[in-house]
Amino acid sequence: MKHALQNIILEIHQKEDKISSQGKTLIDEAYEMTLYLQDLLFSAKGHIIENGFCNDAEEINFFRTIKPQILGKLIYYNKVYRIETACPVDNGKMYYGYFSTQLANLKREYMAHVCNTDFYRYYRSGRTDRDDTYFKRGNINYHDGLNSIVFEIDPLFSTFFDYKIARIIANELLYSYLLTKINPEENPDTILQKPESSNDVFWTDSKNALIELVYALHASGVISHGKIGIRKISLMFQILFRIPLGDLHHAFLRMKTRAGSRTAFLDQLKLSLEEYMDKDL
C-alpha cells in the first residue's frame, strides 16, 4: 500500500483522462469523479489509520502532497456537479450572469479566507522549514483561531493544513473552470458548430497531446511575437481540428505533475522528426 500511496496522483490523472475520453457530459464526469475520489480518500484513510507511516518524511509528504490532491479534486468535482446541476439555462444573459456570480463568490471567498494568510504565503513560497508543524498529526494550535472545520476533522487522518492546501487546489481548478464557462470562445459547442470546410483535417492523437503543443507554442512566443494569449491559440486549433479541448488550465496542471516526462508528446515529435531526417541519409 505504501507504493500505491505514492502512485495515487498518477492514478487520479489516468482516471480523469479515461473519463474525459468517453465523451460524458460535465455533470456525469463530475459525478463519477466525485464517487471515485471519495472511495480513494476512504481507502487511504483506512490504510493510514491501520498502518501509520514509516517515518516523519513519509507522513509530511502524504499530508502536504498526496492527501490534498485527493481532497482538493474531490472538493472541486463536487462543486462543479452542484454548479452544473443548478445552472438555470444553457446560454444567454442568465447563463452568463449565473457563472459570473459563481466566479465573484469564489474570488471573495479566496480573498477572505485563503490568500491573505501566513500559511498561504508559506505554501506558495515553497518553504519547508515549518513542515514538521503543519504536516504532522497532533500539532494543531487552537490558539491560532483556526477555522471551525478543525473541530470536525479526524485527528488521525488530518493535520488541518492538508485541508488548507486542498482548498487552494480546489479553488484554482474552480477559477479556471468558471472562466471557461463565461468565456464564449472556450465553449466547445460553439467551436463544433463552425463550418466544416476541410473534413479531411482532424486531430488523431489525444487532447492532452494537442494541449501540450498549444502551451509549447504559447511559452515560446512564436505566434504573433507572443502577443496573443493561450486561449486564442487554443481556439485556432479547436476550430481547425473541430475538437473541444475543455479546461486547458486543468489539463496543464496534470501535465506538470505527471510521472515520467512532462513533455511526452513534444519528445515524441522530436524523435519522429529525427527519424524522418535519417531516412534521407
Side-chain angles (χ1 to χ4, degrees), residues 54-70:
C54 295
N55 50 51
D56 289 349
E58 186 177 277
E59 180 175 3
I60 290 171
N61 179 60
F62 179 78
F63 287 113
R64 178 174 178 129
T65 305
I66 299 175
K67 184 189 171 187
Q69 282 289 332
I70 307 173

Side-chain angles (χ1 to χ4, degrees), residues 103-118 120-121 145-147 164 167-168 171:
L103 181 59
N105 291 340
L106 179 67
K107 289 181 177 179
R108 185 164 51 250
E109 177 186 343
Y110 203 59
M111 291 295 293
H113 302 293
V114 179
C115 69
N116 289 325
T117 64
D118 290 337
Y120 180 82
R121 288 186 284 272
L146 302 176
N147 190 294
K164 300 283 282 187
R167 292 298 311 186
I168 293 172
N171 282 2

Side-chain angles (χ1 to χ4, degrees), residues 24-31 76 80-81 84 177 181:
K24 297 178 181 288
T25 66
L26 187 54
I27 290 176
D28 290 339
E29 181 177 339
Y31 179 73
Y76 164 69
V80 168
Y81 180 80
E84 289 288 332
Y177 153 72
K181 299 299 287 189

Side-chain angles (χ1 to χ4, degrees), residues 35-53:
L35 295 181
Y36 166 76
L37 290 164
Q38 185 180 37
D39 288 342
L40 191 60
L41 189 65
F42 182 80
S43 297
K45 179 178 181 179
H47 170 76
I48 296 305
I49 291 177
E50 181 178 351
N51 301 290
F53 298 100

Side-chain angles (χ1 to χ4, degrees), residues 227-239:
K227 294 181 179 179
I228 64 173
I230 190 73
R231 288 189 175 84
K232 287 189 177 180
I233 297 175
S234 72
L235 179 62
M236 291 187 297
F237 280 99
Q238 290 180 80
I239 293 175

Side-chain angles (χ1 to χ4, degrees), residues 13 16 30 35 38-39 50 58 61 104 107 134 136 147 154 171 189-190 221 254 256 267-268 278:
H13 295 166
E16 288 173 321
L35 295 181
Q38 185 180 37
D39 288 342
E50 181 178 351
E58 186 177 277
N61 179 60
K107 289 181 177 179
Y134 288 138
K136 287 180 62 179
N147 190 294
D154 184 343
N171 282 2
D189 294 331
T190 301
R254 296 203 300 268
K256 290 173 65 176
D267 295 343
Q268 182 58 48
D278 291 340

